[in-house]
Amino acid sequence: MSATRLADLGGALLVRPGRPRPHNLVSTRPDLTDLLTRGKPAAGLADILGSLYSLCGHAHRLCARRAVAAASGRADADERDAASALQLGSLREHLRRLCMDWPGQLAAASRRDALAAQAMSQLRQCPAFAVLSPQSGMSAGEALPGLLDWLQRTVLQMPASEWLLAWEHDPQAWLLEWAGRSEGWVAELFRGAPAVADRVLPAVDLQPHACAGSLRELADTLRESATFVRQPFWNGACADTGPWNRLNQPAGRRLDNPRLRLGARLAEVARLALPDEARRSGAQWLESGSLAVGPGEALAWAEMARGLLVHHVRLDNQDDAARVESCRVLAPTEWNFHPAGALAAALECLSSEVTPKLQRDVALLMAAYDPCVPYEIEPAWLEEVAHA
């Protein structure tokens, strides 16, 4: 599919390896949020955004509902239910990317089809995608019997609790050891990763949700700048976000290369499938919340599969008939695929010649950062023709 048609369907990322920032990474993703929500009843905002951003609809519904509640001066629904929904929704999204995307992005060409078929076969048997109506406050494990066993048997090939302990002790060493001794298809992907997987990324962690003061600063910026959601900066720098820099991430660990970023995604799958443990696993791993910043104005945020999601909402009043005056969504893709960010810096170091090796290197970088839109590699000659 051409970039034009991809853009028509919701945008794409144009990747131009070997060229300097900010010209090697271009997003054509349209920002339709304010246009489609302004003047709409606030009570329906969660459904609008959940449909508009269907790939991570669970997180958008949660943020929109919480932002409207806080802006209206009301308490949100049950926190336990919200945490469980975020846990299960994020786990499902991780598993979709793991099984549907990783074999095509990370496997050697000779093994791609075989591993993709194996991954899809196992995904079809995954209990995480069972149709269910869990009781209030149920954890993923309680709501989905067999989920942890499936993960340990098909993905990790060992107890998840032991895998996670080893990861927490030394992520880099553990990934190498586990991939070297495990016979599973996921381990094979790590074992055969190209050299670009170990290149250090010049990353700045994003955690504006660590305190109320930072959240207020973010709310001020979102209110005053309509373009901030397209190319955001934090503390004067490009920052990135994902499972490698959660609020509950153990201190002192810099997960700053693509291999470790992919490992952090796998570790989060284990965390979300395990029973609840404060600040470590289950429904108590991912953080979310909201903050009223003025009458009829609030910010809500959630750590979801791709990273930190933020909604900023202003309502025309605080009663039940309130309508949306302004709504801005700041998604992980805009942080992680900033044209001057860490990924763009990594693309600078690649060749501009489109070869199978380059395509695989780019695919690995994309898997590590996980955009919510498709991407296409644009050859250097195409840009030269366009400017001729």
Side-chain angles (χ1 to χ4, degrees):
M1 179 178 287
S2 71
T4 300
R5 283 180 287 163
L6 287 171
D8 290 343
L9 296 173
L13 289 167
L14 304 182
V15 181
R16 299 163 176 167
R19 275 155 281 185
R21 290 173 287 172
H23 308 294
N24 61 19
L25 191 57
V26 177
S27 173
T28 66
R29 191 158 86 120
D31 181 15
L32 303 175
T33 305
D34 207 40
L35 176 66
L36 296 179
T37 59
R38 192 184 308 118
K40 296 293 193 296
L45 184 62
D47 287 338
I48 293 174
L49 295 183
S51 298
L52 181 61
Y53 298 100
S54 58
L55 204 58
C56 296
H58 66 283
H60 283 276
R61 287 187 175 88
L62 171 63
C63 278
R65 191 185 72 236
R66 281 186 160 171
V68 168
S72 303
R74 294 184 282 105
D76 190 31
D78 184 79
E79 288 291 325
R80 174 64 189 176
D81 284 349
S84 296
L86 184 60
Q87 173 197 14
L88 182 54
S90 298
L91 177 59
R92 283 171 166 164
E93 181 58 16
H94 276 310
L95 291 172
R96 279 191 287 264
R97 303 285 70 79
L98 177 74
C99 295
M100 296 171 66
D101 295 349
W102 281 20
Q105 292 173 311
L106 305 181
S110 61
R111 293 285 292 153
R112 200 166 292 151
D113 290 345
L115 295 188
Q118 185 178 353
M120 285 304 299
S121 174
Q122 293 179 348
L123 184 65
R124 293 187 188 100
Q125 302 170 34
C126 180
F129 298 94
V131 178
L132 75 162
S133 298
Q135 299 176 15
S136 178
M138 270 191 171
S139 69
E142 293 169 331
L144 299 165
L147 171 61
L148 187 57
D149 177 69
W150 176 90
L151 177 66
Q152 294 174 151
R153 176 171 40 84
T154 64
V155 176
L156 302 177
Q157 297 199 324
M158 64 179 292
S161 57
E162 295 179 14
W163 196 101
L164 185 58
L165 273 173
W167 163 264
E168 290 174 334
H169 177 68
D170 189 333
Q172 181 83 20
W174 173 240
L175 280 182
L176 293 174
E177 179 185 341
W178 170 73
R181 75 186 193 193
S182 176
E183 297 180 357
W185 64 270
V186 181
E188 181 178 337
L189 296 178
F190 279 92
R191 192 165 57 245
V196 72
D198 296 307
R199 290 184 184 172
V200 174
L201 300 163
V204 175
D205 285 346
L206 179 72
Q207 291 191 338
H209 54 315
C211 67
S214 294
L215 285 169
R216 290 185 183 279
E217 180 182 346
L218 182 59
D220 290 343
T221 305
L222 286 165
R223 183 193 314 111
E224 295 164 7
S225 174
T227 61
F228 182 75
V229 296
R230 301 296 298 157
Q231 293 187 6
F233 283 86
W234 187 245
N235 293 330
C238 293
D240 54 23
T241 178
W244 53 86
N245 59 10
R246 305 300 195 190
L247 281 186
N248 290 328
Q249 181 72 29
R253 293 292 184 191
R254 293 288 299 170
L255 306 179
D256 57 1
N257 67 43
R259 185 188 302 276
L260 290 173
R261 297 288 171 89
L262 293 166
R265 295 188 185 281
L266 187 56
E268 187 153 284
V269 170
R271 291 185 190 278
L272 295 176
L274 284 166
D276 289 4
E277 183 177 336
R279 299 178 61 86
R280 186 170 183 264
S281 62
Q284 297 190 41
W285 169 245
L286 297 175
E287 296 287 352
S288 62
S290 61
L291 179 70
V293 294
E297 181 182 0
L299 194 79
W301 52 271
E303 294 177 337
M304 63 174 192
R306 287 182 170 82
L308 180 66
L309 173 68
V310 178
H311 285 194
H312 176 262
V313 170
R314 284 188 291 131
L315 309 180
D316 62 357
N317 62 70
Q318 292 183 287
D319 62 29
D320 291 342
R323 291 184 175 271
V324 177
E325 193 171 274
S326 172
C327 177
R328 288 177 180 156
V329 170
L330 183 52
T333 293
E334 273 56 62
W335 291 105
N336 292 340
F337 295 87
H338 194 291
L343 177 62
L347 291 172
E348 282 184 331
C349 300
L350 299 181
S351 169
S352 61
E353 184 181 355
V354 180
T355 63
K357 178 185 182 303
L358 174 75
Q359 291 173 327
R360 192 177 178 205
D361 285 348
V362 170
L364 184 140
L365 290 171
M366 290 294 167
Y369 278 93
D370 192 17
C372 60
V373 292
Y375 77 89
E376 287 193 358
I377 297 175
E378 187 174 272
W381 64 263
L382 186 59
E383 185 181 17
E384 292 166 2
V385 169
H387 289 88

